[in-house]
Amino acid sequence: MDGVVIMYVELLKRIKNRNFYISVLCLFLIVVFSVITGLKQYRENMDLVQRIYSNNENVLALVSAHKEWVGLSSQNFFSSLYYFLFPLLISIALTDSIYSEKHSGNISYQLTRMSRKSYYWKKVLFTYMSSFLLFIIPLIFGIILVNVLVDQWDYSFYSNMYKHLINGTVELPDNSFEGEKKNIFSSLLAISPYLYILVYYVMGGLFAGGYVCIALASSLMLKNKYFVILLPQVIYMVSWALFTILGKLSWDPFNFLDPKQPIEGLSYSPIVIAFVFQVLIAFGLYVYGVKKNDDVL
C-alpha cells in the first residue's frame, strides 16, 4: 500500500511539471499527424489497387487499414518520427526528477520521510513504469483513432491472407507483396495484427524505460540538466551511427524496434542482448550514482 501511495505522490509531482505536458502533447500530436497522413495514403493506395488489379480479393485483403497504425506505415514521415524521437520526448517528462530535487533542496525533506533505499527505489521504478506507459499509450490511441476513422476493428481477413502468403498458398498477379513478409514475429502477424503490434509496442516501451533510467542514473553524476534530458536521444543516435558504420544494421535499435521492419536480416538475438545490456548499464550507473552521493545527500 505504501508503494502505491509513493507512486501516486510521484505522479502528482510530474503532473505539476510543465515538461510533462510538453512531452505528452508532442507524443500525441505526432501520433495524430501520423494517422491523418497514413489514412490519406491508405485511401489513395486502395483506389490505385482497385484500378490496377480489378478488385482482386486476394490483393485487396493485403491492402489493410491496420498498416497505418503508428510504426507500420512504410511511407509515413510522422510514424518514423515517433520512433526517432521517443527517447528525447519521454526523457523531457521524467529524467530531471532527482536532479530537480537535489538542486532545490527538496531531497533533504524527502529523506526525512523515508529511507535512502526507498527513495531511490521508488524513483527508478516510477521512472521505468512511466516511460513504458508514455511510450505505449499514444500508440494505442493511434490504433483506436485509425479504427474509428475507417470504421473497422476486425483484421482477420488480412491475417488469413498473410498466412497464405508466407506459406506460398495464395495466387497473386505479381510479386509486389513479397515485401509483406516479416523476418521476425511473422507467426504473430499470421494470427492477428493486434498481437503483432502489441509485442512491438511493449518491446518499445521496455527499451524506452531503459533509456530514460540511464539518464536518471546519470543525473546523480552530471551537473548539466539539459544534457541529462538529451542523453537518451544521444545514446540512441550514437547507436544508430555506430551500427550503421559497422554495417550491423540488425543491431541498431532504430531498426529492430520499428514494427515495419525496415531492413532485411533482423533476428531475435540482437534484441535480447541489447535489452539485457541496456538494463545492466542502467542498473550499474544507478548503483554507482547512489554510492557517489552518499556523502552529499
Side-chain angles (χ1 to χ4, degrees), residues 211-230:
Y211 283 121
V212 176
C213 283
I214 288 175
L216 181 73
S218 300
S219 72
L220 292 164
M221 297 166 277
L222 300 176
K223 295 182 179 180
N224 190 310
K225 173 182 177 179
Y226 298 103
F227 185 72
V228 169
I229 292 174
L230 285 170

Side-chain angles (χ1 to χ4, degrees), residues 158-173:
Y158 175 87
S159 294
N160 292 331
M161 191 55 60
Y162 180 79
K163 189 185 303 180
H164 288 300
L165 178 67
I166 60 177
N167 290 333
T169 56
V170 61
E171 291 186 9
L172 295 171

Side-chain angles (χ1 to χ4, degrees), residues 119-185:
Y119 175 81
Y120 285 116
W121 170 246
K122 72 164 187 177
K123 285 293 184 185
V124 73
L125 182 60
F126 176 80
T127 299
Y128 195 90
M129 291 174 59
S130 299
S131 299
F132 178 89
L133 292 174
L134 272 179
F135 177 86
I136 201 171
I137 289 175
L139 295 173
I140 292 175
F141 171 75
I143 290 177
I144 295 171
L145 188 57
V146 168
N147 291 358
V148 168
L149 291 177
V150 297
D151 192 23
Q152 182 176 333
W153 296 86
D154 181 10
Y155 296 98
S156 58
F157 63 94
Y158 175 87
S159 294
N160 292 331
M161 191 55 60
Y162 180 79
K163 189 185 303 180
H164 288 300
L165 178 67
I166 60 177
N167 290 333
T169 56
V170 61
E171 291 186 9
L172 295 171
D174 52 44
N175 62 354
S176 300
F177 292 92
E178 284 298 307
E180 290 285 317
K181 298 177 181 178
K182 306 299 183 186
N183 293 124
I184 54 177
F185 303 115

Side-chain angles (χ1 to χ4, degrees), residues 86-88 90-92 95 208 210-216 227-238:
F86 79 83
L88 172 62
I90 296 174
S91 177
I92 289 173
T95 53
Y211 283 121
V212 176
C213 283
I214 288 175
L216 181 73
F227 185 72
V228 169
I229 292 174
L230 285 170
L231 188 59
Q233 189 68 35
V234 170
I235 295 172
Y236 193 57
M237 294 181 68
V238 167

Side-chain angles (χ1 to χ4, degrees), residues 23 28 30 50 56 107 122 130 132 151 154 163 181 184 205 216 234 246 248 275 279 290:
S23 177
F28 273 90
I30 292 175
Q50 286 175 333
N56 184 306
I107 193 169
K122 72 164 187 177
S130 299
F132 178 89
D151 192 23
D154 181 10
K163 189 185 303 180
K181 298 177 181 178
I184 54 177
L216 181 73
V234 170
L246 295 175
K248 301 291 185 180
F275 178 70
V279 170
V290 171

